[in-house]
Amino acid sequence: MTIDASRGVQAPPELVQLLTPEGERVEHPDYDIDLTPEEIRGLYRDLVLVRRIDLEAVALQRQGELGIWASLLGQEAAQIGSGRALTDADMAFPTYREHGVAWCRDVDPVKLLGLFRGVNHGGWDPVEHNFHLYTIVIGSQTLHAVGYAMGIQRDGAEAAAIVYFGDGATSQGDVNESFIWASVFNAPVVFFCQNNQWAISEPLEKQSRIPLYRRASGFGFPGIRVDGNDVFACLAVTRQALRNAREGNGPTLIEAYTYRMGAHTTSDDPTRYRVADELEAWKLKDPIERLKAYLFKNQLADQAYFEAIDAEADALGRDVRKRCLEMPDPDPLAIFDHVYAHRHPLMEEEREQFAAYLASFEGSEGR
Amino acid sequence: MTTLTLAKAINEGLRRAMEDDPKVLIMGEDVGKLGGVFRVTDGLQKDFGELRVIDTPLAESGIVGTAIGLALRGYRPVCEIQFDGFVFPAADQIITQLAKMPLRSLGALKLPVVVRIPCGGGIGAVEHHSESPEAYFTHTAGLRVVACSNPADAYVMIQQAIRCDDPVIFFEPKRRYWEKAEVDTSPEAAAGWPDLHTARVVRPGGDVTVLAYGPMVRTCLEAATAAEEDGRSVEVIDLRSLNPLDTALVTDSVRRTGRCVIVHEAPVYSGFGAELAARITESCFYHLEAPVLRVGGFSTPYPPSKLEEHYLPDLDRVLDAVDRCFAY
Ligand SMILES: Cc1ncc(C[n+]2csc(CCOP(=O)(O)OP(=O)(O)O)c2C)c(N)n1
Ligand SMILES: [Mg+2]
């Protein structure tokens, strides 16, 4: 007996693409986009800066300053394209890898590091940024996004929710339930799946025999596959899906077809399960290189511009590093904070006992 | 005798179980080529093939639910849950089906499913990667719950768990995965294996009994060594099995020493230690010189890793409890 679940995945992808890997602009009948040179340069800047933040975080982890880091390398266009499609009123629900979306939501990159440095479980105010906390349990946040969208719907607000998740996450019950809820309640939500081809060591064939975007039709809403390394296409497709949601036309599943160019996290060793050729092939589709080629060819930016962006990126990297190192260690008694909204006798009792215990070591060795 | 890490000892135990019984399957996320994130299943897919070592879709409820189906069909699945905090999506299948289906069938059905869970903290991880969820499972009748603490036991216990016709929740102390010890892997040694559900005195002593399991056994042994310098003789018991519990060994010890400290990483409040303390109080009341004391995590969610050294019981916290025992 053999098991071959991979057949369906080989089906030719119907991919929305507006910018080829070579940096050629192509037309699409349904999803075209008109961007000013200023806006295009802005997207380029975003891509470069988030890649730089990510590189710095990887380096900080290597030097022992972070416990772990989940790199977004290769997924910048999917995140910036979709992130820049959001209005201030829209609400985003990330996984643990959405550093680029966080950037679009004006979350200070240093705040992202807290969780990975082990000083907190998520250090930004989700309400201030309309950017929810990172969710580590795979798929859970998809239901939260749908519920949030049901709230938007009841409020009659001009807004939508977007939820990020990976290819692996599509297997979770929660994710499938979220599709059902969104469909049945016609919730104003966009499901943004970054298919980076891998769930740690498991390739997409372990999760699906059909392209992921086609799952949507079974749940009763549109699904669309977009070139996840094409920032124009990601922006155009997400804008359209968000608009549909806000206008009462219900959910959309977007599959951003991309590639995890780095390890799953800094703890992972991808050489154990994937071949180097694959990475080389995807490097030719790099999201930043293609936009740079486009800008250059169309004389929307010159060498001096690129150098200025690189310099800005380096300065940002240095700043992120400096402020990461300055991040204070949390107070041990903070363990008891924020567990409950109201006073709680057990928290008070244990905090008091622990404070006394800590005090008993003062002046002595140890601790 | 060979020297093995705890992770490798489980790996060898799994390998032996798969060789012994072609019905044994391994299933989980990343257990195949990668060999699991802790490499516990390293090399098994290469040697036993993809039909027996299964990289599953990313869904814990699916892993346990299909393991139940495979067990109904005569297989003996060993499920790997990648981290303690990710067993909860499978909680429904474990609690409503795995634990109760045999009873529902009036004994017609057996579910020899093992659910392996790397547990506990101390590895500097992010949220959901350091939890000690054993009490949820000891509270669920129908499940056997065991926790290994060292390579030699792990090698034996995993094989016994797989041979057991009841479902077994098998806790592995992840921060001890890399600790090494001598393991007797010879087939002859099997005759001398203790029963899966026996506890063991890992350090005899006369003044106080310290009960621990999983990652805390080593911590308690270190505390016992330190206590000796203060002239206190601490008996350390590795419970090994939480359900069923080796009550006789525990009560014998406490009746002898008259004092008992229970140590686990899980929060004290409604933790497994509460069951132990109540039982010991009931059965050793007239022998006790002091109340049974519990040392554990705070009754809060597991903190960010910079604070975990404060949260986790350590040598000092164990000694502090031992001292308090003598203050009565
Ligand atoms: C419920 C649950 N199970 C397992 C894990 C461990 N885990 C973390 S990331 C990951 C793979 C996720 O793959 P995918 O959804 O494709 O997202 P990606 O990491 O590729 O962005 C797994 C199995 C988890 N975080 N949550
Ligand atoms: Mg993925």
Side-chain angles (χ1 to χ4, degrees):
Chain A
M1 189 199 124
T2 56
I3 295 174
D4 176 16
S6 63
R7 283 164 294 162
V9 181
Q10 309 300 330
E14 302 142 61
L15 193 78
V16 176
Q17 188 183 66
L18 301 178
L19 188 64
T20 68
E22 295 73 35
E24 300 296 339
R25 188 73 167 76
V26 287
E27 303 288 312
H28 190 282
D30 304 320
Y31 295 97
D32 217 24
I33 195 163
D34 200 12
L35 296 166
T36 66
E38 195 61 37
E39 286 171 324
I40 297 173
R41 283 191 294 265
L43 291 171
Y44 177 80
R45 175 175 173 272
D46 286 339
L47 294 173
V48 172
L49 295 190
V50 300
R51 180 169 288 187
R52 189 64 180 78
I53 293 166
D54 189 77
L55 271 178
E56 198 63 44
V58 172
L60 283 164
Q61 194 283 333
R62 295 274 176 256
Q63 292 149 9
E65 297 296 338
L66 302 179
I68 191 173
W69 179 252
S71 168
L72 62 40
L73 190 66
Q75 299 176 220
E76 296 87 350
Q79 295 193 13
I80 296 299
S82 60
R84 287 298 177 206
L86 298 167
T87 65
D88 285 348
D90 294 335
M91 178 71 185
F93 289 82
T95 68
Y96 39 80
R97 208 187 286 287
E98 267 66 74
H99 322 310
V101 185
W103 172 257
C104 297
R105 302 310 273 171
D106 288 330
V107 177
D108 178 351
V110 177
K111 290 203 171 157
L112 302 177
L113 302 184
L115 180 166
F116 296 96
R117 192 170 163 84
V119 304
N120 57 41
H121 289 317
W124 58 92
D125 178 353
V127 179
E128 181 190 337
H129 298 280
N130 269 1
F131 182 72
H132 192 65
L133 299 170
Y134 279 180
T135 298
I136 292 173
V137 180
I138 299 293
S140 288
Q141 75 281 6
T142 56
L143 285 165
H144 312 156
V146 173
Y148 191 95
M150 290 166 68
I152 291 175
Q153 191 177 39
R154 276 153 185 73
D155 296 343
E158 254 308 282
I162 186 168
V163 58
Y164 292 85
F165 53 101
D167 43 291
T170 61
S171 295
Q172 280 287 9
D174 278 3
V175 176
N176 289 273
E177 289 173 21
S178 76
F179 290 171
I180 290 170
W181 252 252
S183 171
V184 166
F185 295 103
N186 201 39
V189 62
V190 174
F191 294 105
F192 196 90
C193 176
Q194 287 168 84
N195 173 3
N196 64 6
Q197 313 301 327
W198 292 91
I200 309 188
S201 74
E202 297 196 15
L204 182 64
E205 305 88 77
K206 299 285 176 195
Q207 319 288 345
S208 186
R209 345 182 357 162
I210 59 161
L212 295 172
Y213 73 98
R214 288 202 202 145
R215 293 252 181 103
S217 70
F219 290 93
F221 53 87
I224 177 154
R225 181 183 271 183
V226 59
D227 181 343
N229 287 13
D230 170 355
V231 71
F232 292 163
C234 289
L235 177 60
V237 166
T238 313
R239 253 188 200 165
Q240 179 69 50
L242 287 165
R243 192 179 308 131
N244 282 340
R246 288 188 215 104
E247 288 172 358
N249 299 321
T252 304
L253 169 62
I254 299 172
E255 176 190 358
Y257 201 78
T258 180
Y259 191 70
R260 194 194 79 206
M261 289 175 73
H264 169 69
T265 65
T266 46
S267 306
D268 176 41
D269 172 13
T271 62
R272 288 179 69 98
Y273 55 80
R274 70 184 191 187
V275 293
D277 289 1
E278 194 180 275
L279 178 60
E280 291 310 312
W282 276 93
K283 275 187 185 162
L284 303 175
K285 302 180 192 173
D286 186 274
I288 299 185
E289 287 309 314
R290 73 173 76 179
L291 188 57
K292 188 173 186 180
Y294 174 80
L295 284 167
F296 210 73
K297 266 188 261 190
N298 293 280
Q299 292 170 7
L300 298 175
D302 56 12
Q303 200 51 41
Y305 171 80
F306 293 122
E307 280 166 19
I309 296 290
D310 286 345
E312 185 184 359
D314 284 340
L316 176 61
R318 280 193 300 274
D319 176 58
V320 165
R321 159 171 299 265
K322 177 166 165 288
R323 290 191 296 129
C324 173
L325 302 184
E326 287 166 1
M327 223 182 274
D329 280 356
D331 175 359
L333 294 174
I335 289 176
F336 304 97
D337 292 345
H338 309 301
V339 181
Y340 300 95
H342 298 291
R343 283 186 58 186
H344 189 288
L346 187 58
M347 294 300 101
E348 288 169 9
E349 179 189 315
E350 290 192 5
R351 176 190 283 130
E352 214 167 280
Q353 282 170 359
F354 183 50
Y357 175 77
L358 285 178
S360 74
F361 288 90
E362 255 155 42
S364 71
E365 285 177 49
R367 272 182 201 273
Chain B
M1 288 282 183
T2 40
T3 307
L4 298 177
T5 62
L6 191 140
K8 185 66 181 163
I10 300 171
N11 176 274
E12 288 294 327
L14 289 168
R15 174 178 293 279
R16 181 62 61 81
M18 295 186 81
E19 284 164 358
D20 289 350
D21 183 350
K23 295 291 189 189
V24 175
L25 307 177
I26 288 175
M27 44 204 296
E29 294 155 11
D30 306 289
V31 297
K33 247 190 200 161
L34 185 63
V37 292
F38 293 108
R39 310 294 184 259
V40 171
T41 57
D42 191 23
L44 297 178
Q45 188 181 65
K46 191 168 121 281
D47 294 341
F48 294 97
E50 291 190 31
L51 287 178
R52 291 191 66 195
V53 181
I54 307 165
D55 266 335
T56 67
L58 204 178
E60 289 75 10
S61 180
I63 293 170
V64 176
T66 56
I68 291 171
L70 282 156
L72 292 174
R73 184 73 199 176
Y75 287 88
R76 303 183 89 84
V78 183
C79 304
E80 175 173 300
I81 300 295
Q82 202 161 77
F83 283 89
D84 32 62
F86 308 136
V87 70
F88 300 115
D92 171 42
Q93 287 291 344
I94 295 174
I95 294 168
T96 70
Q97 304 304 319
L98 187 61
K100 301 182 174 72
M101 201 182 284
L103 165 83
R104 198 176 296 142
S105 75
L106 301 177
L109 301 175
K110 295 190 172 59
L111 291 180
V113 174
V114 177
V115 181
R116 294 182 34 240
I117 307 178
C119 68
I123 63 160
V126 295
E127 204 186 351
H128 315 296
H129 292 72
S130 306
E131 309 207 344
S132 300
E134 62 272 14
Y136 296 111
F137 301 106
T138 58
H139 192 66
T140 301
L143 303 174
R144 293 173 184 268
V145 182
V146 302
C148 58
S149 70
N150 64 78
D153 273 358
Y155 172 75
V156 172
M157 288 168 73
I158 189 66
Q159 294 181 67
Q160 293 174 321
I162 292 169
R163 273 186 221 156
C164 178
D165 281 340
D166 287 323
V168 179
I169 309 295
F170 192 91
F171 284 104
E172 302 170 4
K174 69 170 84 76
R175 72 162 123 157
R176 309 289 183 209
Y177 270 143
W178 302 275
E179 292 178 6
K180 289 183 182 161
E182 294 281 287
V183 180
D184 187 351
T185 55
S186 66
E188 308 80 67
W193 288 355
D195 185 86
L196 177 60
H197 299 297
T198 49
R200 180 188 300 127
V201 175
V202 285
R203 180 188 167 109
D207 296 338
V208 52
T209 302
V210 172
L211 303 178
Y213 51 90
M216 282 291 105
V217 173
R218 164 142 177 213
T219 306
C220 292
L221 283 170
E222 288 164 2
T225 305
E228 193 170 30
E229 289 163 21
D230 299 338
R232 287 215 172 110
S233 165
V234 176
E235 175 147 302
V236 181
I237 293 179
D238 179 355
L239 292 177
R240 299 183 354 124
S241 175
L242 308 187
N243 184 12
L245 185 66
D246 188 348
T247 314
L249 186 112
V250 170
T251 51
D252 284 355
S253 171
V254 177
R255 283 183 184 151
R256 237 182 324 105
T257 62
R259 294 181 172 83
C260 181
V261 172
I262 298 160
V263 185
H264 55 52
E265 286 190 16
V268 168
Y269 195 84
S270 286
F272 185 66
E275 177 62 33
L276 292 169
R279 284 188 167 263
I280 291 163
T281 308
E282 283 160 13
S283 55
C284 308
F285 187 68
Y286 292 108
H287 300 263
L288 286 173
E289 305 286 343
V292 179
L293 297 181
R294 291 171 290 162
V295 182
F298 300 121
S299 305
T300 67
Y302 198 86
S305 61
K306 289 263 186 195
L307 293 177
E308 70 180 337
E309 59 162 323
H310 293 292
Y311 179 92
L312 290 170
D314 60 3
L315 186 140
D316 287 331
R317 293 245 301 268
V318 176
L319 289 178
D320 176 64
V322 167
D323 283 348
R324 280 189 285 129
C325 255
F326 284 90
Y328 287 90

